[in-house]
Amino acid sequence: MIAIGIDIGGTSIKGAAVDSNGRVYEKFSLPFIKGEPGEITIRKLAETVKEYIGAQKLDNKIVGIGIGCPGTLDVEKGIVNYSNNLCWNELHVADIFKEILPYPVRLTNDANAASLGEAKFGAGKSYETIIMLTLGTGVGGGIIINGKLFEGNQGKGGELGHTVLVVDGEPCTCGRKGCFEAYSSATALIRETKKAMLANKRSLMWKVSPEIELVGGRVVFEAAAQGDKSAQKVLDTYIKYLGEGILNYCNIFRPNVIVLSGGIANAGDALFDPLNQYIKERNYGYQSTPEVKVVPAELGYDSGKIGAAALFFE
Ligand SMILES: [Zn+2]
């Protein structure tokens, strides 16, 4: 079985044919032109896919076209209701594709697509129930139960980043306060790093990043590795909030594994060792409940494409 997987992002649109073993064929991409009407972008995309399928001689082999897209979607109707990133409103993506190509089209949230990719062919491939968290500017969540993506009504569920961890806590982009995202995103880690730098001008964090505006998610990890106490404190607090949020998801879903992706997940053992220790010490039911391991994602930038195609391999 072969499907086309497409990953729509705010700077480019990437895609490829993917088979049911997770093998990725030659890739294609087109730039995302900001300000271009969404209907024109989708028409161009569908034409590109048509040419690609012809060039790869896959006409009779494609079972469908899966599309991962940021924003609020109606997955049943194949509509992007609203995407802040793409500036799209009520865009009937599936209908436009069907005018140009004879294949079924499925739409899902970009975080869900990446999660399904990891679940089927990446870090979760040996397991049935997987939770994936993408720690980036925000926090994307994906829920795979018994090998199937759980999307909720109209595909609008799975917003694990917007579950409140601290009542009346830090403001969140969603309008509430104290969301998991407001403590565990890269944005949150950078915010706390800057605060700690301003409170301690002698911290090694200033050596790692002399310009505070350029602070990234790695600064605390590098400074803490060199023994900086302020950085270590920021890191410990970050791991505490991330760990508490993950423990909530463990208690709700009891997944086999939790997969972390996004820039922060590249920190390696400096993140995963203390995080797994934190979770192990607080595992519900002590020895009687299976422990949940937190592991890094494996597919990198291909996870969205692979997962979008995998909507047809469930
Ligand atoms: Zn929120």
Side-chain angles (χ1 to χ4, degrees), residues 161-163 172-177 179-182:
H162 301 288
T163 51
C172 184
T173 53
C174 73
R176 292 173 83 194
K177 284 182 180 169
C179 286
F180 178 63
E181 169 173 311

PDB file of all heavy atoms in Angstrom, residues 161-163 172-177 179-182, ligand 1:
ATOM      1  N   GLY A 161      -1.409  20.062  25.442  1.00  0.00           N
ATOM      2  CA  GLY A 161      -0.679  21.252  25.909  1.00  0.00           C
ATOM      3  C   GLY A 161      -1.553  22.204  26.697  1.00  0.00           C
ATOM      4  O   GLY A 161      -1.070  22.995  27.504  1.00  0.00           O
ATOM      5  N   HIS A 162      -2.862  22.116  26.469  1.00  0.00           N
ATOM      6  CA  HIS A 162      -3.771  23.079  27.107  1.00  0.00           C
ATOM      7  C   HIS A 162      -4.588  22.437  28.218  1.00  0.00           C
ATOM      8  O   HIS A 162      -5.801  22.608  28.313  1.00  0.00           O
ATOM      9  CB  HIS A 162      -4.632  23.768  26.046  1.00  0.00           C
ATOM     10  CG  HIS A 162      -3.781  24.492  25.050  1.00  0.00           C
ATOM     11  ND1 HIS A 162      -3.118  25.657  25.371  1.00  0.00           N
ATOM     12  CD2 HIS A 162      -3.405  24.167  23.794  1.00  0.00           C
ATOM     13  CE1 HIS A 162      -2.383  26.030  24.327  1.00  0.00           C
ATOM     14  NE2 HIS A 162      -2.544  25.151  23.366  1.00  0.00           N
ATOM     15  N   THR A 163      -3.901  21.691  29.059  1.00  0.00           N
ATOM     16  CA  THR A 163      -4.491  21.178  30.293  1.00  0.00           C
ATOM     17  C   THR A 163      -3.794  21.941  31.418  1.00  0.00           C
ATOM     18  O   THR A 163      -2.572  22.113  31.390  1.00  0.00           O
ATOM     19  CB  THR A 163      -4.224  19.667  30.434  1.00  0.00           C
ATOM     20  OG1 THR A 163      -2.825  19.438  30.253  1.00  0.00           O
ATOM     21  CG2 THR A 163      -4.975  18.870  29.384  1.00  0.00           C
ATOM     22  N   CYS A 172      -1.358  31.656  29.071  1.00  0.00           N
ATOM     23  CA  CYS A 172      -1.134  30.768  27.923  1.00  0.00           C
ATOM     24  C   CYS A 172      -1.686  31.418  26.662  1.00  0.00           C
ATOM     25  O   CYS A 172      -2.585  32.257  26.726  1.00  0.00           O
ATOM     26  CB  CYS A 172      -1.813  29.418  28.177  1.00  0.00           C
ATOM     27  SG  CYS A 172      -1.505  28.229  26.862  1.00  0.00           S
ATOM     28  N   THR A 173      -1.178  30.994  25.505  1.00  0.00           N
ATOM     29  CA  THR A 173      -1.636  31.525  24.215  1.00  0.00           C
ATOM     30  C   THR A 173      -3.119  31.231  23.966  1.00  0.00           C
ATOM     31  O   THR A 173      -3.753  31.890  23.156  1.00  0.00           O
ATOM     32  CB  THR A 173      -0.842  30.904  23.062  1.00  0.00           C
ATOM     33  OG1 THR A 173      -0.920  29.475  23.189  1.00  0.00           O
ATOM     34  CG2 THR A 173       0.612  31.307  23.096  1.00  0.00           C
ATOM     35  N   CYS A 174      -3.683  30.229  24.672  1.00  0.00           N
ATOM     36  CA  CYS A 174      -5.073  29.836  24.426  1.00  0.00           C
ATOM     37  C   CYS A 174      -6.064  30.706  25.201  1.00  0.00           C
ATOM     38  O   CYS A 174      -7.269  30.573  25.020  1.00  0.00           O
ATOM     39  CB  CYS A 174      -5.294  28.378  24.791  1.00  0.00           C
ATOM     40  SG  CYS A 174      -5.311  28.054  26.561  1.00  0.00           S
ATOM     41  N   GLY A 175      -5.547  31.563  26.068  1.00  0.00           N
ATOM     42  CA  GLY A 175      -6.440  32.433  26.835  1.00  0.00           C
ATOM     43  C   GLY A 175      -6.594  32.010  28.290  1.00  0.00           C
ATOM     44  O   GLY A 175      -7.032  32.794  29.119  1.00  0.00           O
ATOM     45  N   ARG A 176      -6.256  30.741  28.594  1.00  0.00           N
ATOM     46  CA  ARG A 176      -6.325  30.311  29.989  1.00  0.00           C
ATOM     47  C   ARG A 176      -4.993  30.619  30.684  1.00  0.00           C
ATOM     48  O   ARG A 176      -4.060  31.136  30.074  1.00  0.00           O
ATOM     49  CB  ARG A 176      -6.611  28.799  30.070  1.00  0.00           C
ATOM     50  CG  ARG A 176      -7.983  28.432  29.586  1.00  0.00           C
ATOM     51  CD  ARG A 176      -8.145  26.929  29.539  1.00  0.00           C
ATOM     52  NE  ARG A 176      -8.498  26.374  30.840  1.00  0.00           N
ATOM     53  CZ  ARG A 176      -8.427  25.065  31.133  1.00  0.00           C
ATOM     54  NH1 ARG A 176      -7.994  24.215  30.240  1.00  0.00           N
ATOM     55  NH2 ARG A 176      -8.787  24.634  32.308  1.00  0.00           N
ATOM     56  N   LYS A 177      -4.945  30.286  31.939  1.00  0.00           N
ATOM     57  CA  LYS A 177      -3.706  30.486  32.688  1.00  0.00           C
ATOM     58  C   LYS A 177      -3.217  29.163  33.252  1.00  0.00           C
ATOM     59  O   LYS A 177      -4.014  28.351  33.706  1.00  0.00           O
ATOM     60  CB  LYS A 177      -3.954  31.451  33.857  1.00  0.00           C
ATOM     61  CG  LYS A 177      -4.066  32.903  33.449  1.00  0.00           C
ATOM     62  CD  LYS A 177      -4.251  33.773  34.687  1.00  0.00           C
ATOM     63  CE  LYS A 177      -4.362  35.233  34.295  1.00  0.00           C
ATOM     64  NZ  LYS A 177      -4.799  36.022  35.453  1.00  0.00           N
ATOM     65  N   CYS A 179      -1.493  26.633  31.808  1.00  0.00           N
ATOM     66  CA  CYS A 179      -1.487  25.416  30.987  1.00  0.00           C
ATOM     67  C   CYS A 179      -0.122  24.725  31.015  1.00  0.00           C
ATOM     68  O   CYS A 179       0.917  25.366  31.202  1.00  0.00           O
ATOM     69  CB  CYS A 179      -1.810  25.746  29.534  1.00  0.00           C
ATOM     70  SG  CYS A 179      -3.528  26.147  29.244  1.00  0.00           S
ATOM     71  N   PHE A 180      -0.141  23.421  30.779  1.00  0.00           N
ATOM     72  CA  PHE A 180       1.089  22.612  30.645  1.00  0.00           C
ATOM     73  C   PHE A 180       2.053  23.280  29.659  1.00  0.00           C
ATOM     74  O   PHE A 180       3.246  23.374  29.919  1.00  0.00           O
ATOM     75  CB  PHE A 180       0.675  21.213  30.166  1.00  0.00           C
ATOM     76  CG  PHE A 180       1.804  20.263  29.921  1.00  0.00           C
ATOM     77  CD1 PHE A 180       2.646  19.859  30.944  1.00  0.00           C
ATOM     78  CD2 PHE A 180       1.998  19.735  28.645  1.00  0.00           C
ATOM     79  CE1 PHE A 180       3.678  18.955  30.710  1.00  0.00           C
ATOM     80  CE2 PHE A 180       3.024  18.826  28.415  1.00  0.00           C
ATOM     81  CZ  PHE A 180       3.865  18.445  29.434  1.00  0.00           C
ATOM     82  N   GLU A 181       1.497  23.782  28.549  1.00  0.00           N
ATOM     83  CA  GLU A 181       2.311  24.450  27.532  1.00  0.00           C
ATOM     84  C   GLU A 181       3.077  25.655  28.084  1.00  0.00           C
ATOM     85  O   GLU A 181       4.207  25.921  27.689  1.00  0.00           O
ATOM     86  CB  GLU A 181       1.401  24.891  26.363  1.00  0.00           C
ATOM     87  CG  GLU A 181       2.069  25.809  25.381  1.00  0.00           C
ATOM     88  CD  GLU A 181       1.209  26.106  24.150  1.00  0.00           C
ATOM     89  OE1 GLU A 181       0.683  25.158  23.540  1.00  0.00           O
ATOM     90  OE2 GLU A 181       1.073  27.287  23.806  1.00  0.00           O
ATOM     91  N   ALA A 182       2.434  26.381  29.024  1.00  0.00           N
ATOM     92  CA  ALA A 182       3.049  27.593  29.572  1.00  0.00           C
ATOM     93  C   ALA A 182       4.221  27.268  30.501  1.00  0.00           C
ATOM     94  O   ALA A 182       4.920  28.173  30.962  1.00  0.00           O
ATOM     95  CB  ALA A 182       1.996  28.421  30.296  1.00  0.00           C
TER      96      ALA A 182
HETATM   97 ZN    ZN B   1      -3.394  26.880  27.012  1.00  0.00          ZN
END
